[in-house]
Amino acid sequence: FNIRVGATENSAVLVWQSGKPGETCTQFFQSSGDAGATWSEPQLMMEDLPGCAQANEFVAGLAASPGGLLYLLTNIQSQIFLSAWNGSQWNEPQAQPILSGFEEPEIYSQVAFDCHRATLSGERLYIVGCDQGGGGDIWVTSRDVKSTTFQFSPPVWSQPAPIIGAGLEVEAVELVATGNDLIHAFFNQRQDPAIYYTRWDGARWSRITSVLQLPEGEAGWPAIAAGPGNELLLIARSSKGSLYFSRANSSDAVTASGWSTPTRLPIAHDGKVGPADVAWDAAGTVHIAYSVPVNDERGVYLVQSKDQGTTWSGPLQVFDGAAAGFDFVGSPSLLALGNGLMHVIWKQQSVQVDGVSQPVSLYYARSEDAGHTFSEAEPVVGAPVAWREIVADGQGNLHQLWQQPDMMTTLWDTVSFEGGRSWQAAQRLPAEGGAAAAIVDPVGRLHLVSVGLGSLGHWLWDGSRWQAEAPLRWSLASQSDGPVELVAAAVNMDGKMIVVLGEPTGAGDVAETLLLFAIRTLELPPGQTAIQETPTPSPPSPTREATPTTPPPKRSPTPSATGDSGSARLQSPTDRIIASDPMIQFAMALLPVALLLLTVLGLVALRAVRVKSR
């Protein structure tokens, strides 16, 4: 309802509302730049205004005045707003309080200004209307509408666009950024033995390439890590329960020949493992965490390589699922930091009568000696968990993030400022109800995105709390087939955030997924270009009851400056006091002077004693 069309030269705009007139509604628009021959997809407009518009009226200039803007007057709850269209976007609506009412200048009575009619004359907008109060007079007012009085900020997000035109049977997609400004995407397909790859170079996506072909079984969810020298390490689980890995330099990853031949991981649990996660720490060690879901050896395990996958250690048991009484051990998420700190989370699952495993709870363990020993497993959430992730921000603070299947419109985050030894109370974030992803930008700031029907929520961690960022909204046409089921995100060194969305385009056995992407540019603090790690000092042993011997470092809302090594060094509490207290700095500056004076006084006193003794 409330359908309106406005045009100026070859630019046309169609505006309408959907919902219940007089109650709740949403306003949309479509635009054409070729006099109506082709139209954009529908987009939301005026999302932040207080209610449903009762009326919209377009005002255009005369045909003899080309190059002007197209104007829209909107009446919402007796408030009038003026918007301008420049041929590609709307400006922010501006309130026009005089069009709702004003004081009569001669007898000081109130005029209820209504029944408006508007026209343009040159660069001036005239509105004539009537007093619907007691006066009954006709009034006219005008204002300047030069193009310079309207600001058109570029959209924060680009509208989602296909990575490729055709749909694929995608099961999972992962993104990772490298230091040469590339963003790499990996995905697998249903009943397909290959892992596929494409990369974004700042302008376009490369051709999709099969970079890992399993010799047996279908390829499962890919796990990706970026290491020193922009190296990429890819881990894929086959449906036969084995892990395969391949590696490439990011500059050569666009071709299949740039990847090493897939190698089967030589582990004792070969043929029994579930999905894995991989991390590459600052020392150059590759860590792979995996689960053995069932049978007597069920649990979480860790293997390591110090030579980029040429040789591997034997499996270390992180968690004994049989001893803990787990029916089924879910796949782990792994985080490896500097100074030997490692963190693992995994789900406890139960096997139902139909043989399908269901999540029960979420568990956590940490290592403070580079994975040689782990703390006793401790529960994080005593309820079923769908999506979960563990990540560290630029100050070294840990975040455990999760979503519960019965509360999909809520994301949860619990933070540790002490390296995982203690955790804050969980915080709730309003989610869009679908898939979520957490990423860290090049200066160490933590971002969280959550996708829903036609929208993507975005939050930024400011060091103590989450703050909402500009969301992404897209057209009705792209949500016709179903909600977005997959989301992945990454940020390159220039601050370009790429979000990849997987949208179903069919149903049943032939269901396909269209991979879309959207971009926004983050404002990175100047002079900082590297993700920073601030490891927490390790206690003597990684026991569950261990407590820090010193107070946790003071939290800062922005990352500290990096040194030559590219990672910040943790200051001791004493260093922080000296660095921040001006009185102590003054005292430290006077200390050498005081010592010199004491020395001189001592010599004078000693000479006086000698003279007296003579």
Side-chain angles (χ1 to χ4, degrees), residues 318-319 346 363-366 374-379 542-545:
V318 176
F319 170 71
W346 65 94
Y363 276 74
Y364 161 79
R366 70 181 181 278
F374 276 84
S375 64
E376 181 182 347
E378 53 190 78
T543 59
R544 183 176 176 179
E545 296 78 19

Side-chain angles (χ1 to χ4, degrees), residues 488-577:
V491 185
N492 71 3
M493 300 301 289
D494 283 341
K496 296 291 192 302
M497 174 185 282
I498 300 289
V499 175
V500 171
L501 311 167
E503 182 182 66
T505 59
D509 296 336
V510 294
E512 292 185 339
T513 299
L514 182 63
L515 288 180
L516 307 168
F517 77 100
I519 308 172
R520 73 160 292 180
T521 300
L522 303 176
E523 293 184 6
L524 299 181
Q528 296 179 344
T529 57
I531 293 176
Q532 304 176 48
E533 296 174 357
T534 51
T536 308
S538 302
S541 61
T543 59
R544 183 176 176 179
E545 296 78 19
T547 56
T549 56
T550 57
K554 182 180 179 181
R555 302 191 299 276
S556 172
T558 56
S560 56
T562 59
D564 295 337
S565 63
S567 62
R569 295 286 181 254
L570 180 68
Q571 291 177 310
S572 69
T574 304
D575 291 336
R576 286 191 176 274
I577 292 171

Side-chain angles (χ1 to χ4, degrees), residues 221-236:
W221 194 301
I224 316 299
N230 296 322
E231 291 290 317
L232 294 171
L233 188 71
L234 167 62
I235 302 292

